[in-house]
Amino acid sequence: MNYANIKWYDVANGPGVRVSLFVSGCRNHCKNCFNPETWDFDYGQPFTEEVEDKILKAMEPDYIKGFTLLGGDPFEPENCAALVPFMKRMRKLYPEKSVWCFTGYDYERDLLTGKKGDAETVLKLLRTLDVLVDGRFVEELKDLNLRFRGSSNQRIISVKESLKKDKIVLWDGEAEQ
């Protein structure tokens, strides 16, 4: 897997100061995507163990409230398989920090059904997340007033609650995960 960028002090992609990993590779190709260079799976740099270690080290300070995965798309099968072992390491080291993920795929239709990649691998990645922003960016539904999403069709899902209750539970922002 390649990655396009790492933001070491990101305040735009989840609550608080976060470390954000922009993976390379996306088949959605949303019109007017804010990051079209990340559509190419070969764009950027290899996601090596050394890069993983740098990210995990950057997560240490108390002022870093969480980690965010975006891209590209973390749920592309090639990316998802590479991210699962890393995210398990992340969760083991930092169980108290929140993990957010942005995907152009639909939680129920694409991810839970196994329609997108290996269902078991997808579920493993989902279980490492606190919050998932799902759905394609739709230019016609763009709204600059929305918090943590670009278009009104996208949802902010509380993943752990949704998996536990076997139904969509939207993030309410109160707990500021």
Side-chain angles (χ1 to χ4, degrees):
M1 179 184 90
N2 278 4
Y3 71 96
N5 191 16
I6 299 169
K7 290 190 177 182
W8 302 103
Y9 308 100
D10 189 0
V11 295
N13 295 300
V17 180
R18 317 176 69 72
V19 175
S20 293
L21 173 67
F22 292 75
V23 300
S24 293
C26 182
R27 293 179 177 90
N28 279 313
H29 299 186
C30 299
K31 178 183 171 188
N32 291 323
C33 169
F34 82 105
N35 222 0
E37 63 276 5
T38 65
W39 296 351
D40 182 352
F41 285 86
D42 294 323
Y43 180 78
Q45 303 296 315
F47 188 64
T48 63
E49 190 172 337
E50 180 182 53
V51 173
E52 290 183 19
D53 293 343
K54 285 181 183 177
I55 291 170
L56 294 173
K57 179 75 174 159
M59 294 292 298
E60 281 181 4
D62 288 340
Y63 64 84
I64 299 293
K65 299 302 178 195
F67 179 73
T68 301
L69 283 170
L70 60 171
D73 200 300
F75 281 97
E76 290 294 356
E78 302 88 332
N79 295 337
C80 192
L83 288 168
V84 166
F86 170 67
M87 292 309 300
K88 286 183 176 181
R89 285 179 69 199
M90 171 78 67
R91 280 314 215 178
K92 187 174 183 180
L93 285 172
Y94 304 108
E96 75 288 355
K97 299 200 183 209
S98 72
V99 176
W100 280 49
C101 181
F102 289 74
T103 182
Y105 295 102
D106 181 271
Y107 177 78
E108 307 100 290
R109 188 182 64 240
D110 300 321
L111 302 181
L112 289 183
T113 62
K115 184 177 173 185
K116 189 65 195 171
D118 176 66
E120 186 176 320
T121 304
V122 168
L123 190 55
K124 285 179 183 177
L125 184 57
L126 281 170
R127 287 184 177 137
T128 68
L129 307 177
D130 294 301
V131 174
L132 178 72
V133 180
D134 82 331
R136 294 173 57 96
F137 170 73
V138 177
E139 175 70 24
E140 295 76 24
L141 300 175
K142 182 179 180 177
D143 183 345
L144 297 177
N145 294 311
L146 295 170
R147 190 170 181 209
F148 303 127
R149 54 199 172 119
S151 58
S152 61
N153 63 298
Q154 296 171 313
R155 301 174 296 178
I156 305 175
I157 299 169
S158 177
V159 178
K160 291 184 185 327
E161 287 297 308
S162 296
L163 288 172
K164 188 184 331 177
K165 294 180 178 181
D166 197 27
K167 69 176 191 172
I168 294 289
V169 177
L170 296 178
W171 179 74
D172 62 14
E174 295 301 315
E176 286 296 316
Q177 293 184 357

